[in-house]
Amino acid sequence: MTFLSTLAAFAMMPFWTMTLGRLIFAEGHIVVPYRNIATLAGGLVIPLMVGLLIRRLFPRVADCLAKALKPLAGIFICVIVVFGIYANLYMLQLLDTMVLLSATCLVLLGYAFGGMAAALMRQSWPDALTIAVETGIQNTGIAIFILRVTLEQPEADINTVVPVAVAIMTPVPLFILWVLQKCVLSRFGICVVKNAEEKICPVACIEEGHQQHNSASVEKLLPNNNDMPVNWQFSTLNNVTTVQPKIRIDEIRGRRVAIFDKEHKRQQALIPRLEKIEVIYEGLNDEKITLIMNKGVSTPYNCAQHINEQLLKRSVVAEVNGEIWDMHRPIPTDCTLKLLHMKPEDLHQATLVNKAFWRSCSFLLGAVVEGAFQDEISVCLHSFPPANVRSGSFVYDIQLNLNDWVPSQNDLRQIAASFQKFVRQDHIFQRLDVDSSVALKMFEDNAFKTEQIPHIATKSSTGRSITVYRVGDHIDISRGPMIASSSLVGRCSIAAIHKLNSKLYRFQGVALPSEIHINHFAFGILESRARKLNPARTPELKSNS
C-alpha cells in the first residue's frame, strides 16, 4: 500500500495543486518534486522485489531473515525518531495548541476514513486494519519536499512545522490503543479482535435480537479449566428432572487418555529402527520437492515444516498417493504428497476438504457438549452422521437424562462460547488405530459406543481395527480424516437443539474456516438454514439403553 500510494502521488499531487492548492498558494507557484517522489518509489520497489524473490525462491532463508530483521527494524525506527527530533528540535518551539489539534484530527480522520472504507468494501479484519493504519499514516515526506522547494526561507521552515506535527502525532493513537490493550483490556479479560467477524465477543451474534456479550462477562460463565468449560448451569434446567450419574466426566476422560497414551507408546515401541522413505511433494505450478522422511514416524505436517511456514499454517488435510490423509498421521511408505487448504481449485478436492472440516466440527461439538453440563446431568455421546455439507449443519446426537428440556437462546450461546474457547486452544487431531478390544475397554462406560464398535470393526481392513481421535483430553470414534488443528475453525454458532425422542437430542451447529470471513447478514442466513432439523437418519435406541 505504501508503494501504491507513492506511485499515486505522481497523479494526485498535480490534481491537488490545480484544485485546493490554488486556494492555499494563490500567489505562488507550486513545484511538484517528481524526482524526489520517483526516488522514494524506487527505494520502495527495489527492496520489495528483492524480498518477494527471496520469499519465492528461498522460503527458509526468508523466514530466518524475517525473525532477524524484526529487532533490527525496531532499533532503526528508534534511531530515526531520536535523531529526527534532535535535528528538528527548533521546530518544537513553533508548535502551538491549534497546530497539534489539527495534526491529531488529520491523523484520526485518516484512521477512521480508511477503516470505514475497508468495512464498506467488506475486507477481512487484517486487511481492514492495514488499510486504516496506512490511511492514517500520512506521507509527510512529500509535503515537506514541496514546502522546501516552493517556499523561500524562513517561510519554508515555518510551514514545515505542520507536516512535522502530523508526523509526531501519527503514532500516538496507535500507542495509546496498544497500552490500553496490554494494560487495561487484558486485565479485565476482554479479548483482542482477531478477525472481522469476532468483534470483542467470542460468541457469534445470533440473528434473533442481535444480542452481543462482552467477553469478560462470557468468561465468567466458564470455569477455570484450561481445556474444557464444564459444569454450566443452563437457565432452562431449573425445573428439569435428572438422574444422578455414576461417574464424573473428567474421570472418564482421564481413564480414556491413559489407555490411549499406553497404546500409542506400545505401537511406537514396535518400530525396531528408523527407515527412510522418499516423499515427493507436488505443489502449485508443477512444483516438486523431494523429501527424505522417517517411515512410520514422519507425517504430512512434518513435511510441511520442511517446506515453508505459510504452507504449514494453511494446510488442512493431505493427499498421500491419491488418498485423503490426516496431517498428523504417519506416512508408511514412499509416496507423492499434496497439501490441501480450504480453498482448493479442484472441485473433487474441495468436496473432500469440506467433508473433513464438517466432520471435525461434529467431533468438536461432541467434545464441548460432553463437558458442558453440571455433574448431576448424565451426558452420553451416541454418534454423528456422515458429513453432509448440503444439509446446512454439522450434527452430534447425544443422550441426556433430562425430561422436557427446551433449550433457550441463552443456552445455545453458552455452548457456542464454549466451542469458540475450545477451538482457539489450537488442539491437534491425533489419530490412532487400535484393536477393537482396546476400543471396548476405552469406551466401556458408553453403552452406545460398545454396541457400535464390533460392527465398525468388521468393516475395517483387518476386521478388528477401530480408528479413534484425540483432541485435548477428549477421545471419540471416527473413520476420519480430520482437519489438522481445531484453530482452523473460525466463526461458529450452535443453531439448534432438537429433541428426537424421550432421551436423544440432536445438537446442530454451523461454522466457517478461520481463513474465510463473511458479514453478519450472510452468516445469519447460514444460521437460519442450520436451525432446521438436519435430515440425517435418526439413531434407533434399544429399550434398555
Side-chain angles (χ1 to χ4, degrees):
M1 285 192 64
T2 303
F3 173 66
L4 292 177
S5 63
T6 304
L7 288 182
F10 281 96
M12 298 306 296
M13 290 308 302
F15 175 76
W16 180 82
T17 58
M18 291 185 292
T19 53
L20 294 176
R22 294 182 181 276
L23 302 177
I24 300 174
F25 297 97
E27 299 179 356
H29 176 65
I30 302 177
V31 178
V32 180
Y34 288 108
R35 179 177 297 178
N36 292 329
I37 297 176
T39 303
L40 182 60
L44 287 171
V45 70
I46 294 174
L48 279 174
M49 294 301 296
V50 172
L52 290 173
L53 286 174
I54 294 176
R55 171 62 66 182
R56 174 66 178 172
L57 301 177
F58 310 102
R60 295 184 186 177
V61 176
D63 293 337
C64 294
L65 290 176
K67 295 179 181 179
L69 289 176
K70 284 182 180 179
L72 289 177
I75 295 173
F76 286 146
I77 291 174
C78 293
V79 171
I80 291 171
V81 170
V82 171
F83 281 94
I85 292 175
Y86 178 77
N88 298 280
L89 199 59
Y90 68 94
M91 289 188 179
L92 298 179
Q93 301 175 359
L94 301 176
L95 294 176
D96 58 23
T97 305
M98 292 304 297
V99 171
L100 290 175
L101 181 61
S102 301
T104 304
C105 290
L106 179 63
V107 173
L108 293 177
L109 287 173
Y111 290 139
F113 178 79
M116 288 188 293
L120 291 174
M121 297 297 177
R122 297 181 179 179
Q123 298 298 302
S124 64
W125 167 248
D127 290 341
L129 179 63
T130 303
I131 293 170
V133 173
E134 181 66 29
T135 309
I137 297 178
Q138 305 298 318
N139 197 339
T140 55
I142 294 179
I144 293 173
F145 286 149
I146 292 177
L147 292 172
R148 292 286 188 182
V149 173
T150 302
L151 301 177
E152 301 291 338
Q153 295 294 350
E155 287 82 0
D157 284 343
I158 294 174
N159 287 278
T160 304
V161 170
V162 177
V164 169
V166 174
I168 292 173
M169 298 307 298
T170 295
V172 172
L174 297 178
F175 179 74
I176 293 175
L177 288 176
W178 180 80
V179 172
L180 185 66
Q181 169 196 322
K182 294 293 183 181
C183 301
V184 180
L185 297 183
S186 59
R187 184 171 300 177
F188 290 96
I190 300 177
C191 62
V192 183
V193 177
K194 291 188 178 180
N195 62 53
E197 307 301 339
E198 289 178 11
K199 307 305 178 190
I200 62 168
C201 178
V203 188
C205 178
I206 304 298
E207 185 179 21
E208 180 180 347
H210 296 281
Q211 298 182 10
Q212 293 242 351
H213 305 277
N214 183 285
S215 59
S217 63
V218 172
E219 291 294 332
K220 293 177 182 177
L221 299 172
L222 309 177
N224 296 324
N225 188 317
N226 292 329
D227 287 332
M228 290 293 294
V230 297
N231 299 337
W232 278 356
Q233 176 62 59
F234 291 113
S235 58
T236 51
L237 295 182
N238 295 330
N239 300 318
V240 175
T241 337
T242 63
V243 178
Q244 186 72 19
K246 297 180 180 179
I247 187 170
R248 289 170 55 90
I249 187 60
D250 54 353
E251 297 174 0
I252 294 174
R253 285 184 166 176
R255 185 176 53 78
R256 289 178 185 169
V257 168
I259 297 173
F260 185 97
D261 290 340
K262 181 179 179 180
E263 177 63 18
H264 182 260
K265 290 179 181 179
R266 186 192 70 81
Q267 294 185 16
Q268 290 293 308
L270 295 178
I271 303 176
R273 60 185 180 85
L274 291 180
E275 299 179 21
K276 298 300 179 181
I277 57 175
E278 184 178 84
V279 178
I280 301 176
Y281 166 71
E282 298 179 353
L284 298 175
N285 302 321
D286 297 326
E287 176 190 15
K288 288 191 177 182
I289 299 176
T290 301
L291 302 170
I292 305 300
M293 308 301 290
N294 295 320
K295 179 180 179 180
V297 176
S298 299
T299 65
Y301 185 87
N302 299 136
C303 295
Q305 288 178 311
H306 288 284
I307 301 173
N308 65 62
E309 185 177 358
Q310 183 180 9
L311 183 67
L312 179 69
K313 291 180 178 179
R314 293 194 66 196
S315 298
V316 179
V317 292
E319 187 178 290
V320 176
N321 287 336
E323 179 184 353
I324 294 299
W325 203 267
D326 295 273
M327 287 293 293
H328 297 282
R329 181 182 178 185
I331 303 173
T333 183
D334 296 340
C335 67
T336 59
L337 171 68
K338 294 181 181 179
L339 298 175
L340 308 182
H341 53 80
M342 286 307 306
K343 298 179 181 179
E345 297 181 0
D346 182 80
L347 182 60
H348 178 65
Q349 290 180 347
T351 301
L352 296 176
V353 169
N354 284 334
K355 285 185 177 181
F357 179 80
W358 224 237
R359 184 185 302 113
S360 303
C361 288
S362 291
F363 187 99
L364 293 169
L365 179 59
V368 169
V369 176
E370 188 179 47
F373 290 82
Q374 290 187 323
D375 292 335
E376 63 267 18
I377 299 173
S378 175
V379 180
C380 190
L381 302 185
H382 186 283
S383 61
F384 54 91
N388 181 9
V389 182
R390 294 179 181 272
S391 67
S393 59
F394 56 85
V395 173
Y396 211 118
D397 295 330
I398 301 173
Q399 178 180 271
L400 304 174
N401 62 334
L402 299 175
N403 296 324
D404 303 322
W405 178 45
V406 180
S408 67
Q409 286 295 318
N410 186 55
D411 295 337
L412 300 179
R413 279 190 284 267
Q414 285 183 325
I415 299 175
S418 175
F419 193 99
Q420 290 274 358
K421 182 179 181 181
F422 185 58
V423 299
R424 288 177 188 170
Q425 293 170 3
D426 195 17
H427 296 292
I428 67 169
F429 282 80
Q430 187 178 1
R431 177 187 174 116
L432 188 65
D433 295 321
V434 302
D435 188 81
S436 58
S437 61
V438 177
L440 286 171
K441 185 178 180 182
M442 193 178 292
F443 294 98
E444 63 183 7
D445 53 85
N446 187 313
F448 300 128
K449 303 292 183 184
T450 54
E451 181 184 349
Q452 297 162 9
I453 285 171
H455 177 68
I456 296 173
T458 57
K459 295 184 178 181
S460 66
S461 58
T462 62
R464 292 187 54 83
S465 179
I466 296 292
T467 301
V468 296
Y469 283 86
R470 175 181 175 181
V471 176
D473 64 351
H474 176 72
I475 299 173
D476 204 349
I477 301 171
S478 176
R479 287 193 298 268
M482 300 289 184
I483 60 177
S485 166
S486 64
S487 62
L488 293 169
V489 180
R491 184 177 183 181
C492 82
S493 172
I494 306 304
I497 302 175
H498 296 284
K499 190 172 185 179
L500 300 181
N501 53 45
S502 60
K503 298 180 179 180
L504 207 61
Y505 290 83
R506 174 160 289 179
F507 288 72
Q508 299 181 188
V510 62
L512 295 175
S514 56
E515 64 177 281
I516 296 178
H517 310 289
I518 61 176
N519 58 46
H520 288 288
F521 177 77
F523 191 77
I525 295 175
L526 297 180
E527 283 183 308
S528 298
R529 184 184 178 190
R531 291 191 186 104
K532 300 177 182 179
L533 177 63
N534 191 289
R537 184 181 65 86
T538 302
E540 297 179 2
L541 302 182
K542 291 185 177 181
S543 58
N544 60 349
S545 294

